[in-house]
């Protein structure tokens, strides 16, 4: 998720109203797509090797600041509390992608079969699979803060996840799309991973090291605060573009947004229950248990959007499904934060390291 500064002890203005901003961007996209179809057709034509250039720039503006925030030096603490990390990795990479694919097949190919044309159902299925294979890398710090989680250990979990994502995302996506009989253009998938994970991650590490070398962690945070407005603008502009291309389809079937949201909601609450329950069974301390459950529940939707566009196109149902994920995520995560805080007593506490 997009990472913007939170107020002490809570969400920043943007995060608190993210669903509202996204909803406004959706309306703007639908209106503009119908008023200026020629403009959107021109933007759609700006492609190189199946990569839409305007969207690629916007995605980079969202992903790069997140990667600057990842400190791989924190990985040396990986052995401090292995149970939390084990829960995170098992849920994120051995459970979540497969349950999301199963729910997608259940709803789009069976439960909603009479409501959605088969070709659209396959596209929405591809979109939710992409979401399921991309665990959160940034907004989890906000959720961790709201549950008074250990920020350093949360950083460890995110950093390890990012390293695994570099090598695991493409194979998992290809496997699940193949199982569902959706054609996988491997060259485009690998190019997407290179463009939206490997290159931004490398650039983020170089930037972080350079900033930290001159001004320490304060310089890193100041840089991220400085570019925050660009990140926010890029997110909303991406949503406007996607819904501008989807305008006719959505207006012809407005219920499609609600239909896509159903398996996403079930997946979010189900994955949280699995991770939170496992952490409780393993007696993981609360300040680690809550964030480790949040990482799998939330999604790295920027990556999912970018890959959906690269693989299936700007006007695809797959791209639409990934954006619906943005719309439902913040209300869901806030409800889970509230639940976690009410059930803190289920877990042991530990002395926080300075």
């Amino acid at each position: 998720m997009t990472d913007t500064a939170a107020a002490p002890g809570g969400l920043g203005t943007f995060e608190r109203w993210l669903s509202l901003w996204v909803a406004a961007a959706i309306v703007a996209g639908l209106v503009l797509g119908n008023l200026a179809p020629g403009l959107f057709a021109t933007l759609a034509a700006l492609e190189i090797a199946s990569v839409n250039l305007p969207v690629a720039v916007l995605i980079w503006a969202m992903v790069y600041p997140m990667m600057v925030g990842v400190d791989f030096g924190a990985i040396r603490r990986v052995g401090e509390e292995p149970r939390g990390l084990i829960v995170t990795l098992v849920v994120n990479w051995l459970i979540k992608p497969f349950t999301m694919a199963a729910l997608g097949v259940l709803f789009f190919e069976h439960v909603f079969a009479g409501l959605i044309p088969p070709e659209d159902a396959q596209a929405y299925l591809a979109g939710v699979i992409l979401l399921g294979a991309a665990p959160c890398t940034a907004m989890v710090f906000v959720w961790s803060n709201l549950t008074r989680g250990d920020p350093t250990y949360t950083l460890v979990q995110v950093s390890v996840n990012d390293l695994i994502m570099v090598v695991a995302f493409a194979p998992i996506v290809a496997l699940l799309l193949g199982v569902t009989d959706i054609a996988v253009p491997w060259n485009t998938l690998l190019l997407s991973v290179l463009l939206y994970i490997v290159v931004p991650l490398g650039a983020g590490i170089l930037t972080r090291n350079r900033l930290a070398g001159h001004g320490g962690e304060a310089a890193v945070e100041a840089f991220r605060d400085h570019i925050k407005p660009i990140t926010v603008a890029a997110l909303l502009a991406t949503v406007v573009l996607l819904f501008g291309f989807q305008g006719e389809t959505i207006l012809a079937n407005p219920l499609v947004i609600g239909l896509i949201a159903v398996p996403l909601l079930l997946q979010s609450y189900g994955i949280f229950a699995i991770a939170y329950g496992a952490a409780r069974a393993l007696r993981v301390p609360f300040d680690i248990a809550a964030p480790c459950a949040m990482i799998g529940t939330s999604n790295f939707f920027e990556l999912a959007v970018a890959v959906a566009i690269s693989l299936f196109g700007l006007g695809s149902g797959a791209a639409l499904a990934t954006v619906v994920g943005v719309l439902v995520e913040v209300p869901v995560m806030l409800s889970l934060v509230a639940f976690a805080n009410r059930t803190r007593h289920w877990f042991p506490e530990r002395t926080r390291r300075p």
Side-chain angles (χ1 to χ4, degrees), residues 1-292:
M1 284 290 300
T2 301
D3 183 22
T4 58
L11 290 173
T13 301
F14 177 67
E15 294 96 343
R16 186 179 297 112
W17 300 103
L18 178 60
S19 292
L20 178 61
W21 308 144
V22 171
I26 288 172
V27 172
L30 293 174
V31 172
L32 292 173
N34 282 274
L35 292 179
L39 172 61
F40 283 85
T42 300
L43 292 174
L46 298 176
E47 278 191 0
I48 295 178
S50 299
V51 174
N52 182 268
L53 297 181
V55 174
V57 171
L58 293 174
I59 295 293
W60 245 79
M62 289 187 281
V63 175
Y64 167 67
M66 299 176 196
M67 297 308 186
V68 174
V70 175
D71 179 11
F72 289 109
I75 293 178
R76 63 179 177 271
R77 289 188 59 184
V78 70
E80 180 182 303
E81 176 52 77
R83 292 171 297 173
L85 186 62
I86 290 170
V87 170
T88 298
L89 297 183
V90 169
V91 169
N92 284 356
W93 300 107
L94 298 181
I95 297 176
K96 180 182 178 181
F98 305 96
T99 55
M100 187 72 264
L103 284 170
V105 169
L106 173 64
F107 281 94
F108 296 130
E109 294 188 357
H110 299 284
V111 178
F112 298 151
L115 302 173
I116 302 175
E119 61 275 13
D120 291 344
Q122 288 295 291
Y124 302 147
L125 175 57
V128 299
I129 285 174
L130 290 171
L131 281 170
C136 186
T137 67
M139 273 288 278
V140 69
F141 292 109
V142 176
W143 314 130
S144 177
N145 181 46
L146 289 173
T147 56
R148 288 180 287 167
D150 182 334
T152 303
Y153 197 85
T154 301
L155 180 58
V156 171
Q157 294 172 310
V158 169
S159 299
V160 173
N161 261 303
D162 281 349
L163 285 176
I164 293 174
M165 196 181 306
V166 171
V167 297
F169 179 79
I172 288 176
V173 167
L175 171 65
L176 293 175
L177 292 181
V179 167
T180 56
D181 296 325
I182 299 172
V184 182
W186 260 99
N187 290 340
T188 304
L189 177 58
L190 293 176
L191 177 62
S192 297
V193 171
L194 177 67
L195 286 177
Y196 302 121
I197 300 180
V198 178
V199 174
L201 182 59
I205 292 172
L206 291 175
T207 303
R208 182 183 184 88
N209 289 342
R210 184 176 181 84
L211 290 168
H214 287 82
E217 194 64 29
V220 175
E221 293 306 315
F223 175 77
R224 297 178 72 202
D225 288 343
H226 182 71
I227 62 176
K228 179 179 68 175
I230 299 174
T231 302
V232 172
L235 166 63
L236 298 180
T238 301
V239 174
V240 170
L241 279 179
L242 290 174
F243 278 83
F245 286 109
Q246 295 280 353
E248 292 184 4
T249 300
I250 295 171
L251 292 177
N253 185 15
L255 288 178
V256 71
I257 303 298
L259 296 180
I260 293 172
V262 171
L264 293 177
L265 288 169
L266 290 175
Q267 165 80 351
S268 296
Y269 287 113
I271 286 297
F272 179 85
I274 292 171
Y276 204 59
R280 185 185 183 192
L282 292 172
R283 295 193 55 77
V284 177
F286 180 80
D287 62 348
I288 290 175
C292 86

